[in-house]
Amino acid sequence: MNTIPNRQALCETLLELAQTDRDIMVLASDSRGSAAMAPFAKAYPEQFVEVGIAEQNIVGISAGLAHSGKKPFVTSPACFLSMRSIEQIKVDVAYSGTNVKLVGISGGVSYGALGMSHHSVQDVAVCRAIPGLAVILPADRHETKRMTEALVQHEGGVYVRIGRNPVEDVYESDDYEFVIGKAVTMRDGADLTIIAAGETVRVALDAHTALKEAGVSCRVLNMHTIKPLDEEAIIRAARETGHIITVEEHSIHGGLGSAVAETVVQHQPVPIRILGIPDEPAIAGKTAEVFKHYGISADNIKRIALEMLGR
């Protein structure tokens, strides 16, 4: 069982890269603890900026650092970073074309017990509508490491959302290439495709196992980059498997499911089911409890798949 959360993997990777790249900067909004960035702050105090609880300011400061040639990584709770500072993200990062990496920590329903004020299930919808801003959700610690390495080399604004707690590995190791905008086929199949992002990739893989036992050949796509979207992989899945289920830790409006549906309806119409948080304040509780309540589970995906296939 993995005990390393993605936020820790992010810090460890930045610590390693900062040894040779002194332009890497990390900014926190009174969040070095919750972002697991305390080790970075201790090791590289001259490359760390503590802004305090001021999310609008942290985005503006990071844009200024980027304009001076630095590579800033903003680490702040996703619920506040993506809502309180959305104007600064739109103008100072995206419109201004600054090289800022915005890392929303404890995204989705990671702060489950704190309720709607701390849930972040609209962030993908908002951020993917902003021109010039990429949106990425890594699935596990291995993907977080490879993603971080890619982000240091990537020029341009990016919104990243990672969860708070450890998630089971979906990759056996980090010995693979992470490409922004390129989906990963985790399992192949011909009857149906499950498309997931972030922590729901693990759920999709568990559903694949359950469906295989039921005699269903199921493809699983890890759509880690929701923008720019790998439309080619989606269209191919629609054409070759004929049915799609999307799974996300996000509102059913405007997120991964919407992005996939927009692509499919214009290029290769097939039946689609969008599984996520319905149009209501998500219940308070642990992540597993929230997932179970809304059917973000292998058993429910299996049920939906069999229903779609008429079995």
Side-chain angles (χ1 to χ4, degrees):
M1 178 69 71
N2 172 46
T3 60
I4 299 174
N6 291 349
R7 56 198 173 104
Q8 182 180 334
L10 174 74
C11 179
E12 291 174 353
T13 307
L14 288 174
L15 275 169
E16 180 181 338
L17 296 173
Q19 294 179 23
T20 55
D21 191 341
R22 308 304 283 185
D23 287 332
I24 292 175
M25 301 284 295
V26 171
L27 296 86
S29 56
D30 193 32
S31 53
R32 73 180 72 187
S34 56
M37 285 296 164
F40 189 97
K42 182 177 180 180
Y44 302 106
E46 72 283 2
Q47 292 172 251
F48 182 84
V49 179
E50 174 58 72
V51 175
I53 303 175
E55 287 79 11
Q56 294 96 329
N57 288 349
I58 201 173
V59 176
I61 292 169
S62 67
L65 287 168
H67 273 300
S68 65
K70 299 300 182 180
K71 301 174 182 177
F73 280 74
V74 173
T75 57
S76 181
C79 54
F80 305 133
L81 180 63
S82 66
M83 294 290 133
R84 290 182 181 172
S85 56
I86 196 62
E87 181 180 1
Q88 286 73 26
I89 292 173
K90 181 179 74 172
V91 177
D92 296 348
V93 176
Y95 180 67
S96 301
T98 51
N99 186 31
V100 175
K101 307 306 183 290
L102 302 153
V103 183
I105 59 174
S106 299
V109 293
S110 293
Y111 285 133
L114 297 179
M116 187 175 180
S117 64
H118 283 64
H119 293 165
S120 182
V121 294
Q122 297 83 28
D123 52 343
V124 172
V126 173
C127 289
R128 81 178 186 94
I130 298 177
L133 188 68
V135 179
I136 302 176
L137 280 67
D140 70 359
R141 55 180 173 144
H142 300 306
E143 189 159 76
T144 300
K145 177 179 180 179
R146 287 303 185 205
M147 174 202 69
T148 305
E149 294 169 346
L151 290 179
V152 170
Q153 301 302 319
H154 176 78
E155 186 72 26
V158 181
Y159 175 74
V160 176
R161 189 233 267 180
I162 57 178
R164 180 174 183 81
N165 301 311
V167 60
E168 283 189 61
D169 292 341
V170 302
Y171 293 96
E172 294 182 358
S173 73
D174 55 29
D175 185 21
Y176 76 101
E177 182 182 12
F178 179 93
V179 180
I180 295 173
K182 188 69 173 177
V184 180
T185 302
M186 307 297 293
R187 304 286 188 272
D188 207 357
D191 296 331
L192 176 140
T193 298
I194 303 173
I195 304 178
E199 296 189 13
T200 60
V201 174
R202 180 68 262 170
V203 179
L205 291 174
D206 291 342
H208 171 274
T209 300
L211 285 166
K212 184 177 181 180
E213 293 172 354
V216 176
S217 176
C218 174
R219 183 175 304 181
V220 176
L221 293 183
N222 171 11
M223 196 63 63
H224 53 67
T225 306
I226 298 180
K227 185 184 177 185
L229 191 67
D230 190 346
E231 294 186 349
E232 181 181 341
I234 295 170
I235 295 168
R236 184 168 58 250
R239 184 175 61 249
E240 295 176 356
T241 72
H243 303 81
I244 293 176
I245 299 173
T246 64
V247 191
E248 59 192 311
E249 188 180 355
H250 187 272
S251 167
I252 58 173
H253 299 302
L256 171 65
S258 295
V260 170
E262 290 160 13
T263 299
V264 170
V265 74
Q266 295 180 84
H267 299 284
Q268 188 74 36
V270 297
I272 298 178
R273 291 289 298 273
I274 297 173
L275 183 58
I277 307 297
D279 192 23
E280 66 182 49
I283 65 165
K286 296 178 181 179
T287 298
E289 294 171 336
V290 178
F291 276 24
K292 181 179 180 180
H293 179 81
Y294 291 114
I296 304 174
S297 66
D299 287 343
N300 193 45
I301 295 172
K302 176 184 176 181
R303 180 190 64 78
I304 294 171
L306 294 176
E307 179 183 285
M308 292 179 76
L309 295 171
R311 301 188 186 181

